[in-house]
Amino acid sequence: MSCLQTIQDYALRSMGIGERLLPRDNFTLCEQFTLIGSGMLWNIYFGTLALISGFFLATALGVGKASPNPLLRKPSEWFIFIFRGSPLFIQFFFGYFLFLTLKQQSAIFDPFSAAWLGALVVLFCNTAAYSGEIFYGALQSVPKGDIEAADAYGLSGWKRFRRVIWPTMLRLAWPAYTNEAIFLFHATTLVFFSGFPAVQQKGDALYYASYFADKTFNPFIPYPILAGYFILLTLVIIGLFGVFNARLNRHLPQDTRQKLRLRPNLIR
């Protein structure tokens, strides 16, 4: 089988499109690159949707934690504490069995026992908690002079938050938030590895890398391929977030603009 034919058969295999049967022996590099790359579609799906949706909840959590009103502050503090204080691996297990229990009570929870929605909810809550803490710290660091200047211009309430406080918060939080986004995409490898099952072998990149490692007894080919894909994905994330960072800092002199730096989280 030619490499082009392999790509046609397996490029969308993880989404249930193409050849249903996985190769059994005589694995080629093309097959490993194609199937692991196919699994990356799930990682991108989980990471992208969780990041976008979690951004809005994270903003609300950061503002809520900074609020003097205990009815807003306490729920935000506990949400952040619970999801930052427990391992993501355990959250996947707990989430899966929770959705299975709810599924027995009502059919409306059927989709949540599947990875495409249930795991997405877990990632959404996890990244919202971590990002909410980042945004809270940035809110605490907003210069008082900026707020006093907004007051002097007659800005108050929502208009002051939207035009002064929120942009400043994002500018201060963006480098740390970039690292959180990178970790989130890396954390998507835990979806099928921890709790949620891969239905009909529709797994992510780690699922297929593990398949080849188990069949060949040689992990030194599929796992470096997997790492290579995630390195490329990380470079894309840094590039995209760098564009937004430049946009947020466009009003500052060139020599004072904060540069993005990759700071991997060694312990989560």
Side-chain angles (χ1 to χ4, degrees), residues 70-133:
L71 295 178
L72 296 176
R73 186 179 68 255
K74 289 300 181 181
S76 300
E77 288 177 345
W78 277 104
F79 185 95
I80 292 174
F81 175 76
I82 290 172
F83 281 94
R84 289 181 71 234
S86 58
L88 178 58
F89 190 86
I90 302 301
Q91 291 172 24
F92 277 124
F93 270 115
F94 180 79
Y96 178 63
F97 288 107
L98 173 64
F99 292 139
L100 281 182
T101 303
L102 294 175
K103 178 181 176 180
Q104 297 173 0
Q105 306 300 321
S106 174
I108 196 175
F109 291 101
D110 283 355
F112 289 89
S113 61
W116 70 270
L117 183 56
L120 183 61
V121 171
V122 175
L123 286 169
F124 160 74
C125 294
N126 183 271
T127 189
Y130 276 90
S131 302
E133 184 68 17

Side-chain angles (χ1 to χ4, degrees), residues 148-155:
E148 293 172 352
D151 293 337
Y153 274 98
L155 299 178

Side-chain angles (χ1 to χ4, degrees), residues 234-254:
T234 298
L235 292 175
V236 171
I237 295 171
I238 292 174
L240 291 176
F241 274 72
V243 172
F244 282 101
N245 186 63
R247 175 72 177 173
L248 291 170
N249 292 278
R250 65 189 184 281
H251 62 288
L252 298 177
Q254 187 70 33

Side-chain angles (χ1 to χ4, degrees), residues 11 28 36 71 90 111 119 161 163 190 204 209 219 230 254 261 267:
T28 65
I36 295 173
L71 295 178
I90 302 301
F161 177 79
R163 302 189 64 177
L190 295 176
D204 66 345
F230 271 102
Q254 187 70 33
R261 295 180 180 179
I267 298 178

